[in-house]
Amino acid sequence: TALTTTNFYDIEVDPAGGKVYWSDWANDRIQRANLDGSGVETILTLAASAQPIDIAGTKLYWGDIDGNIMRANLDGTSPETLVTGLGVLESLAVDSANGYIYWNEDNGLIQRAPMNTYIPEELADAFYIDMDIDTVNGKIYLTDSDEVSEMNLDGSNLRTAVSYSGAWVLAVDSA
């Protein structure tokens, strides 16, 4: 079965749980389905449009149009707000191994916060569309329409890794 939707902002796969998750920004909800596309269900109906999402362990994280970062169990239960007062989030990446959550905003700020305090720390001021982290090699990868850039997890050594044209989506495979 093929999944068809025109309203998704971000998509994440949970291979261990056999599910694919996506944020349906036009309908203010987060949905999931089995990896074969069957069993589509809405797990969260939100007050504000969800944009970037990420999965870490048994938790689903998302940012909304109002500048909040939230999380819930993978079935949508126990939602909670972690960070408020941000700009519009472009992307979100959770590094539960090192205890940080990373995001970039539409104003160009790339930030992180420790998962025990959620107090933001600015890493860079550069505009990128998508972001993913590689905890094995200690890197953040960022993309826009012309390049993939990388920097260390602490924000140091921002550099262009690959120049290209046309894609805005990024996924890192540490292996």
Side-chain angles (χ1 to χ4, degrees), residues 5-22:
T5 181
T6 58
N7 298 325
F8 79 90
Y9 184 92
D10 200 4
I11 189 167
E12 289 290 326
V13 175
D14 175 21
K19 301 283 186 185
V20 59
Y21 293 76
W22 64 93

mmCIF file with all atom_site columns, all heavy atoms in Angstrom, residues 5-22:
data_model
loop_
_atom_site.group_PDB
_atom_site.id
_atom_site.type_symbol
_atom_site.label_atom_id
_atom_site.label_alt_id
_atom_site.label_comp_id
_atom_site.label_asym_id
_atom_site.label_entity_id
_atom_site.label_seq_id
_atom_site.pdbx_PDB_ins_code
_atom_site.Cartn_x
_atom_site.Cartn_y
_atom_site.Cartn_z
_atom_site.occupancy
_atom_site.B_iso_or_equiv
_atom_site.pdbx_formal_charge
_atom_site.auth_seq_id
_atom_site.auth_comp_id
_atom_site.auth_asym_id
_atom_site.auth_atom_id
_atom_site.pdbx_PDB_model_num
ATOM 1   N N   . THR A 1 5  ? -0.119 11.614 0.695  1.00 0.00 ? 5  THR A N   1
ATOM 2   C CA  . THR A 1 5  ? -0.542 12.810 1.399  1.00 0.00 ? 5  THR A CA  1
ATOM 3   C C   . THR A 1 5  ? 0.208  13.980 0.799  1.00 0.00 ? 5  THR A C   1
ATOM 4   O O   . THR A 1 5  ? 1.353  13.844 0.383  1.00 0.00 ? 5  THR A O   1
ATOM 5   C CB  . THR A 1 5  ? -0.292 12.723 2.920  1.00 0.00 ? 5  THR A CB  1
ATOM 6   O OG1 . THR A 1 5  ? -0.759 13.927 3.522  1.00 0.00 ? 5  THR A OG1 1
ATOM 7   C CG2 . THR A 1 5  ? 1.152  12.502 3.259  1.00 0.00 ? 5  THR A CG2 1
ATOM 8   N N   . THR A 1 6  ? -0.415 15.102 0.719  1.00 0.00 ? 6  THR A N   1
ATOM 9   C CA  . THR A 1 6  ? 0.243  16.288 0.201  1.00 0.00 ? 6  THR A CA  1
ATOM 10  C C   . THR A 1 6  ? 0.523  17.290 1.303  1.00 0.00 ? 6  THR A C   1
ATOM 11  O O   . THR A 1 6  ? 1.075  18.341 1.041  1.00 0.00 ? 6  THR A O   1
ATOM 12  C CB  . THR A 1 6  ? -0.639 16.964 -0.877 1.00 0.00 ? 6  THR A CB  1
ATOM 13  O OG1 . THR A 1 6  ? -1.896 17.286 -0.279 1.00 0.00 ? 6  THR A OG1 1
ATOM 14  C CG2 . THR A 1 6  ? -0.822 16.070 -2.068 1.00 0.00 ? 6  THR A CG2 1
ATOM 15  N N   . ASN A 1 7  ? 0.168  16.961 2.513  1.00 0.00 ? 7  ASN A N   1
ATOM 16  C CA  . ASN A 1 7  ? 0.262  17.916 3.612  1.00 0.00 ? 7  ASN A CA  1
ATOM 17  C C   . ASN A 1 7  ? 1.378  17.624 4.600  1.00 0.00 ? 7  ASN A C   1
ATOM 18  O O   . ASN A 1 7  ? 1.399  18.214 5.663  1.00 0.00 ? 7  ASN A O   1
ATOM 19  C CB  . ASN A 1 7  ? -1.067 17.958 4.377  1.00 0.00 ? 7  ASN A CB  1
ATOM 20  C CG  . ASN A 1 7  ? -2.202 18.427 3.511  1.00 0.00 ? 7  ASN A CG  1
ATOM 21  O OD1 . ASN A 1 7  ? -2.017 19.271 2.649  1.00 0.00 ? 7  ASN A OD1 1
ATOM 22  N ND2 . ASN A 1 7  ? -3.376 17.880 3.730  1.00 0.00 ? 7  ASN A ND2 1
ATOM 23  N N   . PHE A 1 8  ? 2.292  16.715 4.291  1.00 0.00 ? 8  PHE A N   1
ATOM 24  C CA  . PHE A 1 8  ? 3.300  16.413 5.295  1.00 0.00 ? 8  PHE A CA  1
ATOM 25  C C   . PHE A 1 8  ? 4.438  17.427 5.249  1.00 0.00 ? 8  PHE A C   1
ATOM 26  O O   . PHE A 1 8  ? 4.800  17.932 4.208  1.00 0.00 ? 8  PHE A O   1
ATOM 27  C CB  . PHE A 1 8  ? 3.816  14.974 5.175  1.00 0.00 ? 8  PHE A CB  1
ATOM 28  C CG  . PHE A 1 8  ? 4.820  14.748 4.088  1.00 0.00 ? 8  PHE A CG  1
ATOM 29  C CD1 . PHE A 1 8  ? 6.169  14.889 4.356  1.00 0.00 ? 8  PHE A CD1 1
ATOM 30  C CD2 . PHE A 1 8  ? 4.434  14.375 2.820  1.00 0.00 ? 8  PHE A CD2 1
ATOM 31  C CE1 . PHE A 1 8  ? 7.112  14.680 3.374  1.00 0.00 ? 8  PHE A CE1 1
ATOM 32  C CE2 . PHE A 1 8  ? 5.368  14.160 1.831  1.00 0.00 ? 8  PHE A CE2 1
ATOM 33  C CZ  . PHE A 1 8  ? 6.713  14.314 2.105  1.00 0.00 ? 8  PHE A CZ  1
ATOM 34  N N   . TYR A 1 9  ? 4.982  17.735 6.417  1.00 0.00 ? 9  TYR A N   1
ATOM 35  C CA  . TYR A 1 9  ? 6.129  18.626 6.535  1.00 0.00 ? 9  TYR A CA  1
ATOM 36  C C   . TYR A 1 9  ? 7.393  17.802 6.741  1.00 0.00 ? 9  TYR A C   1
ATOM 37  O O   . TYR A 1 9  ? 8.424  18.092 6.177  1.00 0.00 ? 9  TYR A O   1
ATOM 38  C CB  . TYR A 1 9  ? 5.942  19.595 7.703  1.00 0.00 ? 9  TYR A CB  1
ATOM 39  C CG  . TYR A 1 9  ? 7.058  20.610 7.820  1.00 0.00 ? 9  TYR A CG  1
ATOM 40  C CD1 . TYR A 1 9  ? 6.940  21.842 7.187  1.00 0.00 ? 9  TYR A CD1 1
ATOM 41  C CD2 . TYR A 1 9  ? 8.220  20.339 8.530  1.00 0.00 ? 9  TYR A CD2 1
ATOM 42  C CE1 . TYR A 1 9  ? 7.960  22.772 7.262  1.00 0.00 ? 9  TYR A CE1 1
ATOM 43  C CE2 . TYR A 1 9  ? 9.242  21.261 8.610  1.00 0.00 ? 9  TYR A CE2 1
ATOM 44  C CZ  . TYR A 1 9  ? 9.105  22.481 7.980  1.00 0.00 ? 9  TYR A CZ  1
ATOM 45  O OH  . TYR A 1 9  ? 10.127 23.397 8.053  1.00 0.00 ? 9  TYR A OH  1
ATOM 46  N N   . ASP A 1 10 ? 7.304  16.784 7.578  1.00 0.00 ? 10 ASP A N   1
ATOM 47  C CA  . ASP A 1 10 ? 8.468  15.961 7.898  1.00 0.00 ? 10 ASP A CA  1
ATOM 48  C C   . ASP A 1 10 ? 8.004  14.531 8.084  1.00 0.00 ? 10 ASP A C   1
ATOM 49  O O   . ASP A 1 10 ? 6.846  14.271 8.405  1.00 0.00 ? 10 ASP A O   1
ATOM 50  C CB  . ASP A 1 10 ? 9.124  16.478 9.183  1.00 0.00 ? 10 ASP A CB  1
ATOM 51  C CG  . ASP A 1 10 ? 10.567 16.020 9.352  1.00 0.00 ? 10 ASP A CG  1
ATOM 52  O OD1 . ASP A 1 10 ? 11.109 15.357 8.449  1.00 0.00 ? 10 ASP A OD1 1
ATOM 53  O OD2 . ASP A 1 10 ? 11.160 16.351 10.396 1.00 0.00 ? 10 ASP A OD2 1
ATOM 54  N N   . ILE A 1 11 ? 8.931  13.605 7.898  1.00 0.00 ? 11 ILE A N   1
ATOM 55  C CA  . ILE A 1 11 ? 8.620  12.182 8.015  1.00 0.00 ? 11 ILE A CA  1
ATOM 56  C C   . ILE A 1 11 ? 9.776  11.489 8.729  1.00 0.00 ? 11 ILE A C   1
ATOM 57  O O   . ILE A 1 11 ? 10.935 11.847 8.528  1.00 0.00 ? 11 ILE A O   1
ATOM 58  C CB  . ILE A 1 11 ? 8.352  11.565 6.621  1.00 0.00 ? 11 ILE A CB  1
ATOM 59  C CG1 . ILE A 1 11 ? 7.823  10.143 6.728  1.00 0.00 ? 11 ILE A CG1 1
ATOM 60  C CG2 . ILE A 1 11 ? 9.562  11.655 5.738  1.00 0.00 ? 11 ILE A CG2 1
ATOM 61  C CD1 . ILE A 1 11 ? 7.253  9.618  5.426  1.00 0.00 ? 11 ILE A CD1 1
ATOM 62  N N   . GLU A 1 12 ? 9.457  10.555 9.594  1.00 0.00 ? 12 GLU A N   1
ATOM 63  C CA  . GLU A 1 12 ? 10.457 9.772  10.325 1.00 0.00 ? 12 GLU A CA  1
ATOM 64  C C   . GLU A 1 12 ? 10.021 8.315  10.355 1.00 0.00 ? 12 GLU A C   1
ATOM 65  O O   . GLU A 1 12 ? 8.830  8.015  10.418 1.00 0.00 ? 12 GLU A O   1
ATOM 66  C CB  . GLU A 1 12 ? 10.611 10.273 11.765 1.00 0.00 ? 12 GLU A CB  1
ATOM 67  C CG  . GLU A 1 12 ? 11.297 11.601 11.893 1.00 0.00 ? 12 GLU A CG  1
ATOM 68  C CD  . GLU A 1 12 ? 12.776 11.563 11.554 1.00 0.00 ? 12 GLU A CD  1
ATOM 69  O OE1 . GLU A 1 12 ? 13.448 10.534 11.828 1.00 0.00 ? 12 GLU A OE1 1
ATOM 70  O OE2 . GLU A 1 12 ? 13.267 12.563 11.019 1.00 0.00 ? 12 GLU A OE2 1
ATOM 71  N N   . VAL A 1 13 ? 10.994 7.429  10.345 1.00 0.00 ? 13 VAL A N   1
ATOM 72  C CA  . VAL A 1 13 ? 10.729 5.995  10.370 1.00 0.00 ? 13 VAL A CA  1
ATOM 73  C C   . VAL A 1 13 ? 11.231 5.417  11.686 1.00 0.00 ? 13 VAL A C   1
ATOM 74  O O   . VAL A 1 13 ? 12.321 5.749  12.144 1.00 0.00 ? 13 VAL A O   1
ATOM 75  C CB  . VAL A 1 13 ? 11.413 5.288  9.173  1.00 0.00 ? 13 VAL A CB  1
ATOM 76  C CG1 . VAL A 1 13 ? 11.234 3.788  9.257  1.00 0.00 ? 13 VAL A CG1 1
ATOM 77  C CG2 . VAL A 1 13 ? 10.873 5.832  7.862  1.00 0.00 ? 13 VAL A CG2 1
ATOM 78  N N   . ASP A 1 14 ? 10.406 4.564  12.280 1.00 0.00 ? 14 ASP A N   1
ATOM 79  C CA  . ASP A 1 14 ? 10.777 3.807  13.470 1.00 0.00 ? 14 ASP A CA  1
ATOM 80  C C   . ASP A 1 14 ? 10.829 2.340  13.062 1.00 0.00 ? 14 ASP A C   1
ATOM 81  O O   . ASP A 1 14 ? 9.843  1.616  13.170 1.00 0.00 ? 14 ASP A O   1
ATOM 82  C CB  . ASP A 1 14 ? 9.753  4.026  14.585 1.00 0.00 ? 14 ASP A CB  1
ATOM 83  C CG  . ASP A 1 14 ? 10.031 3.164  15.809 1.00 0.00 ? 14 ASP A CG  1
ATOM 84  O OD1 . ASP A 1 14 ? 11.177 2.704  15.986 1.00 0.00 ? 14 ASP A OD1 1
ATOM 85  O OD2 . ASP A 1 14 ? 9.094  2.941  16.592 1.00 0.00 ? 14 ASP A OD2 1
ATOM 86  N N   . PRO A 1 15 ? 11.989 1.877  12.544 1.00 0.00 ? 15 PRO A N   1
ATOM 87  C CA  . PRO A 1 15 ? 12.063 0.494  12.072 1.00 0.00 ? 15 PRO A CA  1
ATOM 88  C C   . PRO A 1 15 ? 11.816 -0.528 13.175 1.00 0.00 ? 15 PRO A C   1
ATOM 89  O O   . PRO A 1 15 ? 11.221 -1.575 12.939 1.00 0.00 ? 15 PRO A O   1
ATOM 90  C CB  . PRO A 1 15 ? 13.474 0.354  11.505 1.00 0.00 ? 15 PRO A CB  1
ATOM 91  C CG  . PRO A 1 15 ? 14.172 1.627  11.737 1.00 0.00 ? 15 PRO A CG  1
ATOM 92  C CD  . PRO A 1 15 ? 13.230 2.586  12.393 1.00 0.00 ? 15 PRO A CD  1
ATOM 93  N N   . ALA A 1 16 ? 12.250 -0.237 14.405 1.00 0.00 ? 16 ALA A N   1
ATOM 94  C CA  . ALA A 1 16 ? 12.056 -1.174 15.513 1.00 0.00 ? 16 ALA A CA  1
ATOM 95  C C   . ALA A 1 16 ? 10.573 -1.375 15.801 1.00 0.00 ? 16 ALA A C   1
ATOM 96  O O   . ALA A 1 16 ? 10.133 -2.477 16.102 1.00 0.00 ? 16 ALA A O   1
ATOM 97  C CB  . ALA A 1 16 ? 12.774 -0.672 16.766 1.00 0.00 ? 16 ALA A CB  1
ATOM 98  N N   . GLY A 1 17 ? 9.802  -0.318 15.702 1.00 0.00 ? 17 GLY A N   1
ATOM 99  C CA  . GLY A 1 17 ? 8.368  -0.396 15.946 1.00 0.00 ? 17 GLY A CA  1
ATOM 100 C C   . GLY A 1 17 ? 7.554  -0.692 14.698 1.00 0.00 ? 17 GLY A C   1
ATOM 101 O O   . GLY A 1 17 ? 6.341  -0.880 14.774 1.00 0.00 ? 17 GLY A O   1
ATOM 102 N N   . GLY A 1 18 ? 8.221  -0.701 13.528 1.00 0.00 ? 18 GLY A N   1
ATOM 103 C CA  . GLY A 1 18 ? 7.532  -1.002 12.280 1.00 0.00 ? 18 GLY A CA  1
ATOM 104 C C   . GLY A 1 18 ? 6.556  0.076  11.830 1.00 0.00 ? 18 GLY A C   1
ATOM 105 O O   . GLY A 1 18 ? 5.539  -0.226 11.205 1.00 0.00 ? 18 GLY A O   1
ATOM 106 N N   . LYS A 1 19 ? 6.883  1.353  12.133 1.00 0.00 ? 19 LYS A N   1
ATOM 107 C CA  . LYS A 1 19 ? 5.970  2.455  11.812 1.00 0.00 ? 19 LYS A CA  1
ATOM 108 C C   . LYS A 1 19 ? 6.697  3.576  11.085 1.00 0.00 ? 19 LYS A C   1
ATOM 109 O O   . LYS A 1 19 ? 7.900  3.770  11.239 1.00 0.00 ? 19 LYS A O   1
ATOM 110 C CB  . LYS A 1 19 ? 5.351  3.046  13.086 1.00 0.00 ? 19 LYS A CB  1
ATOM 111 C CG  . LYS A 1 19 ? 4.570  2.080  13.938 1.00 0.00 ? 19 LYS A CG  1
ATOM 112 C CD  . LYS A 1 19 ? 3.216  1.786  13.365 1.00 0.00 ? 19 LYS A CD  1
ATOM 113 C CE  . LYS A 1 19 ? 2.401  0.918  14.330 1.00 0.00 ? 19 LYS A CE  1
ATOM 114 N NZ  . LYS A 1 19 ? 1.132  0.524  13.767 1.00 0.00 ? 19 LYS A NZ  1
ATOM 115 N N   . VAL A 1 20 ? 5.926  4.330  10.330 1.00 0.00 ? 20 VAL A N   1
ATOM 116 C CA  . VAL A 1 20 ? 6.383  5.579  9.735  1.00 0.00 ? 20 VAL A CA  1
ATOM 117 C C   . VAL A 1 20 ? 5.481  6.680  10.291 1.00 0.00 ? 20 VAL A C   1
ATOM 118 O O   . VAL A 1 20 ? 4.274  6.496  10.433 1.00 0.00 ? 20 VAL A O   1
ATOM 119 C CB  . VAL A 1 20 ? 6.358  5.532  8.187  1.00 0.00 ? 20 VAL A CB  1
ATOM 120 C CG1 . VAL A 1 20 ? 4.973  5.259  7.645  1.00 0.00 ? 20 VAL A CG1 1
ATOM 121 C CG2 . VAL A 1 20 ? 6.933  6.805  7.588  1.00 0.00 ? 20 VAL A CG2 1
ATOM 122 N N   . TYR A 1 21 ? 6.090  7.809  10.663 1.00 0.00 ? 21 TYR A N   1
ATOM 123 C CA  . TYR A 1 21 ? 5.389  8.938  11.274 1.00 0.00 ? 21 TYR A CA  1
ATOM 124 C C   . TYR A 1 21 ? 5.545  10.155 10.375 1.00 0.00 ? 21 TYR A C   1
ATOM 125 O O   . TYR A 1 21 ? 6.591  10.344 9.759  1.00 0.00 ? 21 TYR A O   1
ATOM 126 C CB  . TYR A 1 21 ? 6.006  9.270  12.644 1.00 0.00 ? 21 TYR A CB  1
ATOM 127 C CG  . TYR A 1 21 ? 5.798  8.214  13.680 1.00 0.00 ? 21 TYR A CG  1
ATOM 128 C CD1 . TYR A 1 21 ? 6.537  7.026  13.670 1.00 0.00 ? 21 TYR A CD1 1
ATOM 129 C CD2 . TYR A 1 21 ? 4.871  8.390  14.698 1.00 0.00 ? 21 TYR A CD2 1
ATOM 130 C CE1 . TYR A 1 21 ? 6.333  6.053  14.628 1.00 0.00 ? 21 TYR A CE1 1
ATOM 131 C CE2 . TYR A 1 21 ? 4.673  7.421  15.671 1.00 0.00 ? 21 TYR A CE2 1
ATOM 132 C CZ  . TYR A 1 21 ? 5.409  6.256  15.617 1.00 0.00 ? 21 TYR A CZ  1
ATOM 133 O OH  . TYR A 1 21 ? 5.205  5.289  16.574 1.00 0.00 ? 21 TYR A OH  1
ATOM 134 N N   . TRP A 1 22 ? 4.530  11.024 10.336 1.00 0.00 ? 22 TRP A N   1
ATOM 135 C CA  . TRP A 1 22 ? 4.656  12.271 9.593  1.00 0.00 ? 22 TRP A CA  1
ATOM 136 C C   . TRP A 1 22 ? 3.829  13.364 10.250 1.00 0.00 ? 22 TRP A C   1
ATOM 137 O O   . TRP A 1 22 ? 2.843  13.109 10.922 1.00 0.00 ? 22 TRP A O   1
ATOM 138 C CB  . TRP A 1 22 ? 4.289  12.103 8.124  1.00 0.00 ? 22 TRP A CB  1
ATOM 139 C CG  . TRP A 1 22 ? 2.862  11.724 7.859  1.00 0.00 ? 22 TRP A CG  1
ATOM 140 C CD1 . TRP A 1 22 ? 1.825  12.567 7.597  1.00 0.00 ? 22 TRP A CD1 1
ATOM 141 C CD2 . TRP A 1 22 ? 2.318  10.403 7.829  1.00 0.00 ? 22 TRP A CD2 1
ATOM 142 N NE1 . TRP A 1 22 ? 0.669  11.854 7.404  1.00 0.00 ? 22 TRP A NE1 1
ATOM 143 C CE2 . TRP A 1 22 ? 0.950  10.512 7.535  1.00 0.00 ? 22 TRP A CE2 1
ATOM 144 C CE3 . TRP A 1 22 ? 2.857  9.121  8.023  1.00 0.00 ? 22 TRP A CE3 1
ATOM 145 C CZ2 . TRP A 1 22 ? 0.108  9.415  7.428  1.00 0.00 ? 22 TRP A CZ2 1
ATOM 146 C CZ3 . TRP A 1 22 ? 2.022  8.024  7.924  1.00 0.00 ? 22 TRP A CZ3 1
ATOM 147 C CH2 . TRP A 1 22 ? 0.670  8.176  7.623  1.00 0.00 ? 22 TRP A CH2 1
#
